[in-house]
Amino acid sequence: GKGVNTPDMSVQPRDHSDSKAMGDIPDAEVVRAIKEGGLAVNKSVLMPAWGHVLNDGEVTEMLAYLRHVCNCGTGK
């Protein structure tokens, strides 16, 4: 969440390693954000939709990776 470009971003990226914050987000919401972008889940317009790039298996793998990074297990 604090890369070299973040000082110039109007909305700061989420800290995906924050187990409390990430653990509170249901899996379905994370999947929707990945597929449809930030606006689909009332988040930043800067989060692009990846549903046209990633297939369902890749989205599932991304969800698993994010859960691994936050060490928060499966969401609700």
Side-chain angles (χ1 to χ4, degrees):
K2 297 293 179 196
V4 297
N5 292 324
T6 58
D8 297 323
M9 297 176 79
S10 60
V11 177
Q12 295 299 298
R14 176 176 297 279
D15 179 358
H16 293 107
S17 66
D18 182 341
S19 60
K20 171 66 175 127
M22 289 298 294
D24 287 344
I25 304 172
D27 286 352
E29 185 174 332
V30 175
V31 167
R32 187 168 182 205
I34 294 168
K35 286 184 170 185
E36 300 176 28
L39 283 180
V41 292
N42 298 316
K43 302 295 182 191
S44 174
V45 341
L46 298 176
M47 168 60 185
W50 289 93
H52 60 285
V53 176
L54 303 174
N55 64 40
D56 287 344
E58 291 168 324
V59 171
T60 299
E61 289 175 6
M62 178 61 72
L63 172 63
Y65 175 74
L66 290 170
R67 294 302 184 201
H68 171 76
V69 168
C70 72
N71 196 28
C72 59
T74 303
K76 302 168 193 124

